Amino acid sequence: MNPSQTSKIQDQTIQGNVQIAGFKADIRDFNGIMEELKDLNRGCVVQLMDADGVAGREHVMHAVTHAGNAFARGENIAKDMGLEICVRTSAQRQISRALDVLGIREGKMNICAVAVGCEADVMEKLGGILGPRDDEALKPDEEMLKKIYKVSDLEVETAGSILRVLMEKTACLILEK
């Protein structure tokens, strides 16, 4: 993505042109899906993540905001906005660890799709690639999230929710340089 596209996407993120949807997919050809996504996300960002590692829309929106801000400050971890969204959602500084936590893979899985700066029908087009949209895939499973992110019951109790713990972890990435 060139700098003007990144700037356009940052501006659109600030304006709220972010779409988030869930899909229950059965991925049989990972490489084929990646190729189809390349065609779909010309001029915008489309990022697919394992929805089991996401604490709902607010979690993802928080990460998108942090990703946009990181690019604006020149403090992004990844060179690609989609990957930066994944890194921020997973609250990881290591791209490989972020992909371990939120990367998609072949087989049946819940997918969180994030589109920034895309046309209004992007989720409909994704449905043609992934299968029918099902926002139930975005419903957080607290026990699974605690296991994925190694969060204790005390942390959840102190913060008030697993969502708050994960949002705090994302915010702390700013401090870790």
Side-chain angles (χ1 to χ4, degrees):
M1 177 176 302
N2 69 44
S4 66
Q5 287 175 309
T6 301
S7 177
K8 175 185 168 196
I9 290 166
Q10 290 166 355
D11 293 344
Q12 289 175 333
T13 300
I14 293 167
Q15 295 171 12
N17 190 359
V18 178
Q19 299 174 58
I20 301 167
F23 295 87
K24 290 189 187 260
D26 187 1
I27 299 173
R28 297 177 190 269
D29 179 9
F30 178 83
N31 292 330
I33 285 180
M34 293 297 107
E35 284 302 314
E36 289 186 69
L37 283 179
K38 283 182 190 175
D39 292 335
L40 186 65
N41 69 358
R42 295 187 193 283
C44 70
V45 172
V46 176
Q47 181 65 39
L48 303 181
M49 299 181 287
D50 183 344
D52 293 345
V54 172
R57 275 190 170 82
E58 188 176 354
H59 177 204
V60 176
M61 212 39 230
H62 180 75
V64 169
T65 300
H66 277 268
N69 291 342
F71 265 91
R73 291 188 310 268
E75 297 176 354
N76 43 302
I77 296 165
K79 292 179 183 175
D80 174 83
M81 178 63 91
L83 198 50
E84 188 73 18
I85 291 168
C86 182
V87 166
R88 300 289 168 164
T89 303
S90 71
Q92 304 294 317
R93 289 202 66 77
Q94 296 282 330
I95 293 171
S96 61
R97 177 70 179 124
L99 292 174
D100 285 345
V101 173
L102 293 176
I104 64 168
R105 62 197 176 285
E106 291 189 351
K108 291 184 180 190
M109 67 180 304
N110 294 324
I111 293 180
C112 173
V114 183
V116 182
C118 296
E119 299 295 322
D121 65 346
V122 69
M123 292 304 172
E124 192 175 309
K125 290 177 181 176
L126 272 174
I129 296 169
L130 299 172
R133 180 175 172 166
D134 186 346
D135 287 337
E136 283 295 308
L138 299 175
K139 189 175 179 183
D141 178 333
E142 184 174 316
E143 292 306 312
M144 184 178 297
L145 289 166
K146 287 193 303 190
K147 181 179 174 184
I148 290 169
Y149 292 100
K150 298 174 178 60
V151 173
S152 70
D153 290 333
L154 180 59
E155 285 177 281
V156 173
E157 185 180 318
T158 302
S161 70
I162 189 70
L163 171 62
R164 282 195 158 157
V165 171
L166 296 179
M167 288 171 65
E168 287 173 11
K169 287 179 178 280
T170 296
C172 285
L173 288 178
I174 297 168
L175 304 174
E176 300 171 12
K177 292 183 185 175

Short mmCIF file of all heavy atoms in Angstrom, two decimals, residues 6 10 12 32 46-48 76 85 90 96 108-110 116 118-119 122 136 149 157 160 163 167:
data_model
loop_
_atom_site.label_atom_id
_atom_site.label_comp_id
_atom_site.label_asym_id
_atom_site.label_seq_id
_atom_site.Cartn_x
_atom_site.Cartn_y
_atom_site.Cartn_z
N THR A 6 -2.48 4.88 2.38
CA THR A 6 -2.46 4.84 3.84
C THR A 6 -3.08 6.10 4.41
O THR A 6 -3.91 6.03 5.31
CB THR A 6 -1.02 4.66 4.35
OG1 THR A 6 -0.49 3.46 3.81
CG2 THR A 6 -0.98 4.60 5.86
N GLN A 10 -6.39 6.34 6.72
CA GLN A 10 -6.39 6.98 8.03
C GLN A 10 -7.49 8.02 8.12
O GLN A 10 -8.22 8.08 9.10
CB GLN A 10 -5.04 7.66 8.30
CG GLN A 10 -3.91 6.70 8.50
CD GLN A 10 -2.57 7.40 8.42
OE1 GLN A 10 -2.46 8.56 8.12
NE2 GLN A 10 -1.53 6.64 8.70
N GLN A 12 -10.25 8.13 6.43
CA GLN A 12 -11.54 7.47 6.45
C GLN A 12 -11.79 6.78 7.78
O GLN A 12 -12.93 6.71 8.23
CB GLN A 12 -11.64 6.48 5.29
CG GLN A 12 -11.74 7.20 3.96
CD GLN A 12 -11.71 6.26 2.78
OE1 GLN A 12 -11.15 5.17 2.85
NE2 GLN A 12 -12.31 6.68 1.69
N GLY A 32 -6.37 -19.52 -2.20
CA GLY A 32 -7.40 -19.02 -3.11
C GLY A 32 -8.16 -17.85 -2.50
O GLY A 32 -8.44 -16.85 -3.18
N VAL A 46 -8.98 -4.70 3.82
CA VAL A 46 -9.84 -5.79 4.28
C VAL A 46 -8.94 -6.73 5.07
O VAL A 46 -7.92 -7.21 4.56
CB VAL A 46 -10.50 -6.56 3.12
CG1 VAL A 46 -11.30 -7.74 3.65
CG2 VAL A 46 -11.38 -5.63 2.30
N GLN A 47 -9.29 -6.95 6.33
CA GLN A 47 -8.50 -7.85 7.19
C GLN A 47 -9.43 -8.91 7.76
O GLN A 47 -10.48 -8.57 8.31
CB GLN A 47 -7.83 -7.07 8.31
CG GLN A 47 -6.98 -7.91 9.24
CD GLN A 47 -5.78 -8.51 8.53
OE1 GLN A 47 -5.15 -7.88 7.69
NE2 GLN A 47 -5.45 -9.74 8.86
N LEU A 48 -9.02 -10.16 7.65
CA LEU A 48 -9.76 -11.28 8.25
C LEU A 48 -8.99 -11.76 9.46
O LEU A 48 -7.76 -11.89 9.41
CB LEU A 48 -9.91 -12.43 7.25
CG LEU A 48 -10.58 -12.12 5.92
CD1 LEU A 48 -10.66 -13.38 5.07
CD2 LEU A 48 -11.96 -11.51 6.12
N ASN A 76 3.85 2.65 13.53
CA ASN A 76 3.21 1.38 13.21
C ASN A 76 4.22 0.24 13.33
O ASN A 76 5.41 0.42 13.11
CB ASN A 76 2.60 1.42 11.80
CG ASN A 76 3.49 2.08 10.77
OD1 ASN A 76 3.88 3.24 10.93
ND2 ASN A 76 3.81 1.34 9.73
N ILE A 85 -3.89 -3.70 12.07
CA ILE A 85 -5.16 -3.92 12.77
C ILE A 85 -5.10 -5.25 13.52
O ILE A 85 -5.49 -5.35 14.68
CB ILE A 85 -6.35 -3.86 11.81
CG1 ILE A 85 -6.54 -2.42 11.29
CG2 ILE A 85 -7.62 -4.39 12.46
CD1 ILE A 85 -7.50 -2.28 10.12
N SER A 90 -4.72 -8.07 18.57
CA SER A 90 -4.13 -9.15 19.38
C SER A 90 -3.28 -8.64 20.53
O SER A 90 -2.85 -9.42 21.37
CB SER A 90 -3.26 -10.05 18.49
OG SER A 90 -2.08 -9.37 18.10
N SER A 96 4.33 -12.28 14.08
CA SER A 96 4.13 -13.73 14.05
C SER A 96 3.22 -14.18 15.20
O SER A 96 2.37 -15.05 15.02
CB SER A 96 5.46 -14.46 14.10
OG SER A 96 6.16 -14.16 15.29
N LYS A 108 -13.10 -25.21 9.42
CA LYS A 108 -14.24 -24.43 9.93
C LYS A 108 -13.75 -23.48 11.01
O LYS A 108 -13.01 -23.89 11.90
CB LYS A 108 -15.31 -25.36 10.48
CG LYS A 108 -16.00 -26.16 9.42
CD LYS A 108 -17.12 -27.00 9.97
CE LYS A 108 -17.74 -27.77 8.80
NZ LYS A 108 -18.97 -28.43 9.17
N MET A 109 -14.19 -22.24 10.90
CA MET A 109 -13.80 -21.26 11.91
C MET A 109 -14.71 -20.04 11.85
O MET A 109 -15.36 -19.79 10.85
CB MET A 109 -12.34 -20.85 11.76
CG MET A 109 -12.01 -20.08 10.51
SD MET A 109 -10.26 -19.63 10.39
CE MET A 109 -9.98 -18.74 11.89
N ASN A 110 -14.72 -19.33 12.97
CA ASN A 110 -15.40 -18.04 13.05
C ASN A 110 -14.44 -16.97 12.57
O ASN A 110 -13.29 -16.95 12.99
CB ASN A 110 -15.82 -17.74 14.49
CG ASN A 110 -16.86 -18.72 14.99
OD1 ASN A 110 -17.72 -19.17 14.26
ND2 ASN A 110 -16.77 -19.06 16.27
N VAL A 116 -11.89 -1.18 6.02
CA VAL A 116 -11.67 0.24 6.27
C VAL A 116 -11.56 0.94 4.92
O VAL A 116 -10.72 0.57 4.09
CB VAL A 116 -10.38 0.47 7.09
CG1 VAL A 116 -10.20 1.95 7.38
CG2 VAL A 116 -10.40 -0.32 8.39
N CYS A 118 -13.67 0.97 2.46
CA CYS A 118 -14.18 0.15 1.34
C CYS A 118 -15.58 0.61 0.93
O CYS A 118 -16.24 1.36 1.64
CB CYS A 118 -14.23 -1.32 1.75
SG CYS A 118 -12.63 -2.05 2.11
N GLU A 119 -16.00 0.09 -0.19
CA GLU A 119 -17.36 0.35 -0.67
C GLU A 119 -18.37 -0.27 0.31
O GLU A 119 -18.05 -1.19 1.05
CB GLU A 119 -17.56 -0.27 -2.06
CG GLU A 119 -16.64 0.31 -3.12
CD GLU A 119 -16.92 1.78 -3.40
OE1 GLU A 119 -18.10 2.18 -3.40
OE2 GLU A 119 -15.95 2.53 -3.63
N VAL A 122 -18.92 -4.23 0.54
CA VAL A 122 -17.76 -5.11 0.72
C VAL A 122 -18.11 -6.36 1.53
O VAL A 122 -17.63 -7.46 1.21
CB VAL A 122 -16.56 -4.36 1.34
CG1 VAL A 122 -16.81 -3.98 2.78
CG2 VAL A 122 -15.28 -5.19 1.22
N GLU A 136 -23.09 -13.61 14.85
CA GLU A 136 -22.96 -14.38 16.09
C GLU A 136 -21.51 -14.82 16.29
O GLU A 136 -21.08 -15.07 17.41
CB GLU A 136 -23.88 -15.61 16.08
CG GLU A 136 -25.33 -15.28 16.36
CD GLU A 136 -25.55 -14.76 17.77
OE1 GLU A 136 -25.11 -15.40 18.74
OE2 GLU A 136 -26.17 -13.68 17.89
N TYR A 149 -5.35 -15.26 25.63
CA TYR A 149 -4.51 -14.13 26.02
C TYR A 149 -3.85 -14.30 27.39
O TYR A 149 -3.20 -13.38 27.87
CB TYR A 149 -5.33 -12.83 25.99
CG TYR A 149 -5.73 -12.45 24.58
CD1 TYR A 149 -7.00 -12.73 24.10
CD2 TYR A 149 -4.82 -11.86 23.72
CE1 TYR A 149 -7.36 -12.38 22.80
CE2 TYR A 149 -5.17 -11.52 22.43
CZ TYR A 149 -6.45 -11.79 21.97
OH TYR A 149 -6.80 -11.47 20.70
N GLU A 157 -11.64 -9.28 36.78
CA GLU A 157 -12.38 -8.67 37.89
C GLU A 157 -11.91 -7.23 38.13
O GLU A 157 -12.71 -6.32 38.31
CB GLU A 157 -12.19 -9.51 39.16
CG GLU A 157 -13.02 -9.03 40.34
CD GLU A 157 -12.80 -9.90 41.56
OE1 GLU A 157 -12.74 -11.14 41.40
OE2 GLU A 157 -12.69 -9.33 42.66
N GLY A 160 -12.92 -5.09 35.08
CA GLY A 160 -14.37 -5.02 34.91
C GLY A 160 -14.91 -5.94 33.83
O GLY A 160 -16.07 -6.32 33.87
N LEU A 163 -13.19 -7.53 27.83
CA LEU A 163 -13.05 -6.49 26.82
C LEU A 163 -12.12 -5.38 27.31
O LEU A 163 -11.20 -4.97 26.60
CB LEU A 163 -14.42 -5.90 26.45
CG LEU A 163 -14.40 -4.66 25.56
CD1 LEU A 163 -13.78 -4.96 24.20
CD2 LEU A 163 -15.81 -4.10 25.41
N MET A 167 -8.55 -4.23 25.71
CA MET A 167 -8.39 -2.85 25.25
C MET A 167 -7.20 -2.19 25.96
O MET A 167 -6.44 -1.45 25.35
CB MET A 167 -9.68 -2.06 25.45
CG MET A 167 -10.76 -2.49 24.47
SD MET A 167 -12.41 -1.80 24.77
CE MET A 167 -12.15 -0.07 24.51
#
